[in-house]
Amino acid sequence: MFKRIRLRFRDMKTISQLIAGADEQANISGEEKPGAEHFVLSALNLEDGSAKRVFERVGADSNKFREAIKAQYNEALSSVGIDAGAIETAPDPIEPKNGFHNSKPSGQELMKSLYTLKQEDKDRPLLGAHVVAVVAKMQHGVAARAFKVMGVDSEQLAKAVKEELESTRYH
Amino acid sequence: MSDMKSLPLPENPEEALAAVVSLRHMAEQLERKAVKEAIARGWSWSQVAEALGVTKQAAHKRHAHSIQRKKARK
């Protein structure tokens, strides 16, 4: 029982860090609200390091995820004949707004799915790998396309997350 | 940039919707920069709103906090 209570407190702290990190990543990218892709960037910065290890397991460089987000926007613009490079300017970082956190719908869905996933995995603390697990199930959207740009498919990711969570580290 | 008549439209919905999202993203970034520049050049919020086709309140709510904080730092 005490272990569960300790895990709960730890999870609350992790959620707070995850959300604050996602907000920061969105603002750095010149966006007001974080989407699922910003939650992945935030998860990569969590202390547990599990999200980074998932990337390593699939042979992907976690430092390149931000570039992959940008690349998927550019690719999509190219498909309608727009050369993003010709008109591109670096995004202006946004000053953080005080007050209630608000996410884009993809961010909201991620948090809901994270909650459900965590309910099924009560014996482990909330980890960055759990965030990647949720995104691995997203078939569409910016985060999914960013992984595709990196040559990582959802099955590979899901397998890597499973291996990471089952490693002895978290028991 | 191609004109709308000759704009190649992706055939599959995944690509087309990805293009919509990217266009939206690009438009938001451009809007932010353009508003910031307009205010820096002395445009009023009414003028910005009129140019954007939104209410003054909407323009201010969306952009003011970021511009005002940068001004305060100076």
Side-chain angles (χ1 to χ4, degrees), chain B residues 33-44 48:
Chain B
K33 283 180 185 290
V35 168
K36 190 174 147 190
E37 184 60 28
I39 296 296
R41 289 191 188 199
W43 283 43
S44 67
V48 168

Side-chain angles (χ1 to χ4, degrees), chain A residues 1-54:
Chain A
M1 185 182 98
F2 287 116
K3 184 185 172 191
R4 287 266 172 102
I5 291 171
R6 273 205 316 271
L7 277 181
R8 254 237 163 128
F9 276 112
R10 187 175 155 178
D11 286 355
M12 281 163 59
K13 187 181 165 197
T14 303
I15 287 170
S16 175
Q17 288 170 343
L18 180 69
I19 290 174
D23 280 341
E24 189 185 345
Q25 292 298 331
N27 293 160
I28 287 169
S29 307
E31 297 188 59
E32 283 184 7
K33 297 180 191 176
E37 67 275 20
H38 302 113
F39 279 88
V40 173
L41 288 168
S42 178
L44 287 168
N45 286 331
L46 289 176
E47 283 170 14
D48 66 76
S50 62
K52 273 197 176 154
R53 283 190 293 277
V54 168

Side-chain angles (χ1 to χ4, degrees), chain A residues 1 3 5 28 74 79 84 95 114 126-127 130 137 155:
Chain A
M1 185 182 98
K3 184 185 172 191
I5 291 171
I28 287 169
N74 290 348
S79 76
E95 293 289 330
L114 199 58
L126 177 63
L127 300 164
H130 287 117
K137 290 184 184 164
E155 268 180 48

Side-chain angles (χ1 to χ4, degrees), chain B residues 2-70:
Chain B
S2 312
D3 64 61
M4 287 303 297
K5 284 182 190 166
S6 61
L7 206 64
L9 289 174
E11 284 190 0
N12 80 59
E14 173 69 46
E15 272 189 29
L17 292 170
V20 169
V21 169
S22 299
L23 285 165
R24 203 180 282 154
H25 175 82
M26 186 173 75
E28 284 168 6
Q29 302 277 345
L30 283 173
E31 178 182 328
R32 201 162 282 121
K33 283 180 185 290
V35 168
K36 190 174 147 190
E37 184 60 28
I39 296 296
R41 289 191 188 199
W43 283 43
S44 67
W45 283 107
S46 293
Q47 288 173 313
V48 168
E50 189 177 80
L52 281 175
V54 300
T55 64
K56 181 182 162 186
Q57 289 76 12
H60 192 267
K61 186 178 174 188
R62 183 158 163 70
H63 296 287
H65 79 282
S66 175
I67 293 171
Q68 280 169 4
R69 280 212 183 182
K70 281 193 176 5

